[in-house]
Amino acid sequence: MINEQAWSQLTEEFKKKNIALVAVSKTKPVTDIWHLHLLGQRDFGENYVQELVEKQQQLPKDIRWHFIGHLQSNKVKFIAPFVHLIHAVDSRKLLKEINKQAAESNRIIDVLLQLHIAEEETKFGLDEDELFRLLEEYCKDPKEFSHVRICGLMGMATFSENPVQVRKEFKHLKSVFDEMKQEFFQEKPFFQTISMGMSGDYEIAIEEGSTMARVGSLLFGSR
Ligand SMILES: *Cc1c(COP(=O)(O)O)cnc(C)c1O
């Protein structure tokens, strides 16, 4: 069941603030995606490769598919022909594989690097050292990465009832983004995306500078 009212409110608010809304449709049926598509939603997020591929085949081709979950290198080839943005690149190996598969598909694939900002160990992502080392390599040898374009950062806050903790983590992501921009992406207008915020914390994320929120249960109901 789609919460049309929540979708309308978010869409209106996000348009005013120039924030992209990615509707996270994982585990939800294609009929729900059709429904939101009919209302005008075009950006959808999935985090299982097989599910994404099946849905992509059945649904309108003007949908921009975001892969938001942890991506295994050996599965990149299944989504490389069509994926719009890969949010959670967390290793050099994965970035190289995306580059390779993008070349096979004659595409340049947009990606975000995932920074580990949460306290929980369980969440994926690069730490700051790894992030800056990867960027140095990416900038030093652009030919090695000519089929990927790093467009920004993604992060997931601690799953916490404590808004102070969540805000602190989002602030941190924003400051690392600013530092990256300054050091590696000056005069690169495509480097502009901070993907942060979900159903439970998107308001804080927006206050802290999010440019793209990934919202699931608020739109589609709980999973
Ligand atoms: C599931 C998921 C979301 C959406 O979560 P909700 O709490 O349902 O809004 C956002 N980002 C990622 C990476 C997810 O896996």
Side-chain angles (χ1 to χ4, degrees):
M1 266 288 281
I2 296 298
N3 185 340
E4 286 196 22
Q5 199 187 350
W7 181 81
S8 304
Q9 280 170 359
L10 276 187
T11 301
E12 198 179 321
E13 178 190 349
F14 282 24
K15 198 171 277 168
K16 271 193 218 131
K17 297 178 175 165
N18 203 18
I19 293 161
L21 172 62
V22 178
V24 177
S25 47
K26 65 188 185 201
T27 77
K28 297 297 177 181
V30 290
T31 46
D32 281 359
I33 300 175
W34 268 114
H35 186 160
L36 269 194
H37 182 272
L38 212 59
L39 297 178
Q41 177 68 28
R42 290 296 177 271
D43 291 276
F44 289 89
E46 292 281 339
N47 68 347
Y48 299 104
V49 167
Q50 196 184 337
E51 185 180 344
L52 170 55
V53 169
E54 282 169 13
K55 285 174 169 172
Q56 192 268 342
Q57 285 166 356
Q58 298 172 55
L59 284 156
K61 296 303 170 234
D62 64 351
I63 289 179
R64 294 183 289 268
W65 291 105
H66 296 244
F67 194 82
I68 61 171
H70 178 65
L71 180 56
Q72 288 171 280
S73 296
N74 61 359
K75 300 214 168 138
V76 174
K77 57 177 177 286
F78 300 115
I79 63 170
F82 65 86
V83 71
H84 175 68
L85 178 65
I86 297 175
H87 284 234
V89 174
D90 58 2
S91 71
R92 175 187 187 280
K93 180 179 169 214
L94 177 58
L95 189 64
K96 287 295 290 180
E97 180 63 17
I98 295 169
N99 186 72
K100 182 178 158 203
Q101 297 300 334
E104 293 274 327
S105 294
N106 271 313
R107 303 184 64 206
I108 292 173
I109 295 181
D110 285 346
V111 305
L112 307 175
L113 300 179
Q114 181 178 11
L115 182 67
H116 187 273
I117 54 171
E119 275 187 342
E120 296 129 308
E121 285 293 323
T122 49
K123 290 197 170 134
F124 291 101
L126 299 151
D127 66 30
E128 260 178 81
D129 273 359
E130 293 169 327
L131 180 77
F132 280 90
R133 258 185 279 133
L134 182 54
L135 285 170
E136 271 160 26
E137 196 183 333
Y138 171 81
C139 293
K140 199 160 58 190
D141 209 350
K143 278 208 237 43
E144 283 290 302
F145 296 96
S146 55
H147 291 269
V148 285
R149 192 165 70 154
I150 296 177
C151 297
L153 280 185
M154 178 269 203
M156 287 174 86
T158 304
F159 189 70
S160 163
E161 293 294 309
N162 178 0
V164 176
Q165 174 73 24
V166 170
R167 187 180 298 280
K168 190 179 86 185
E169 292 169 2
F170 286 149
K171 254 194 202 346
H172 177 58
L173 187 68
K174 169 73 162 90
S175 78
V176 173
F177 173 88
D178 290 342
E179 206 181 320
M180 270 171 77
K181 180 143 187 94
Q182 177 72 24
E183 202 168 324
F184 301 101
F185 296 97
Q186 274 187 33
E187 287 154 51
K188 297 279 200 287
F190 59 83
F191 189 83
Q192 57 166 357
T193 301
I194 306 176
S195 168
M196 62 185 188
M198 321 192 340
S199 295
D201 56 19
Y202 75 89
E203 284 152 315
I204 301 175
I206 288 169
E207 284 166 12
E208 297 306 331
S210 169
T211 70
M212 185 178 275
R214 312 174 308 271
V215 180
S217 44
L218 188 61
L219 302 174
F220 292 97
S222 57
R223 288 177 296 273

